[in-house]
Amino acid sequence: MTQSGSKKKLVGTVVSNKMDKTALVLVERLAKHPTYKKYIRKRKKYMAHDPKNLCGIGDKVRIIESRPLSKRKRWQVLEILEKADTEL
C-alpha cells in the first residue's frame, strides 16, 4: 500500500511534441526475464502535460503522476533534466 500524497515519478525521453501542451515521453526500464534470468529493456510511452510547450524532441524529462487531464493523459512534465543537441 502506498502512502497518500506520494506520486510516481519517471524519467524518459521526449519522442514527440506535435500536440498542443502535450509531450509523448518514452520511458525505458530493465526487467529480468522470469525463466532465462536475462535483463530485457522494456519501453512504454506516456502522454505528459506540458503547459508551456517547453519540451523538444530528444529532451530528457522527469514526469509525475497526476489526475486524469484527458482520455490518455495522466502525467505532467515536472522538469527538463537535459536539453537535446539540436545542432545540425
Side-chain angles (χ1 to χ4, degrees):
M1 183 182 276
T2 59
Q3 290 180 341
S4 62
S6 61
K7 296 180 179 181
K8 294 178 191 167
K9 294 178 185 173
L10 299 172
V11 175
T13 308
V14 176
V15 290
S16 174
N17 62 351
K18 294 186 178 193
M19 297 164 277
D20 187 33
K21 298 183 181 179
T22 304
L24 192 64
V25 181
L26 181 74
V27 176
E28 282 191 351
R29 64 183 182 89
L30 289 176
K32 193 180 244 187
H33 192 282
T35 305
Y36 301 113
K37 311 299 185 215
K38 181 179 179 178
Y39 283 99
I40 299 166
R41 193 173 286 135
K42 299 244 182 179
R43 296 175 173 187
K44 188 165 180 188
K45 291 179 186 172
Y46 297 93
M47 282 192 172
H49 186 59
D50 180 21
K52 296 179 183 172
N53 288 321
L54 296 174
C55 293
I57 294 174
D59 291 354
K60 194 172 183 181
V61 295
R62 179 172 283 126
I63 57 175
I64 188 167
E65 201 174 27
S66 71
R67 65 180 177 83
L69 298 164
S70 69
K71 183 179 176 182
R72 292 182 55 206
K73 202 164 34 166
R74 268 92 178 123
W75 296 82
Q76 288 184 337
V77 175
L78 188 63
E79 60 181 326
I80 299 172
L81 301 171
E82 192 177 308
K83 289 298 272 182
D85 292 333
T86 55
E87 303 170 11
L88 290 177

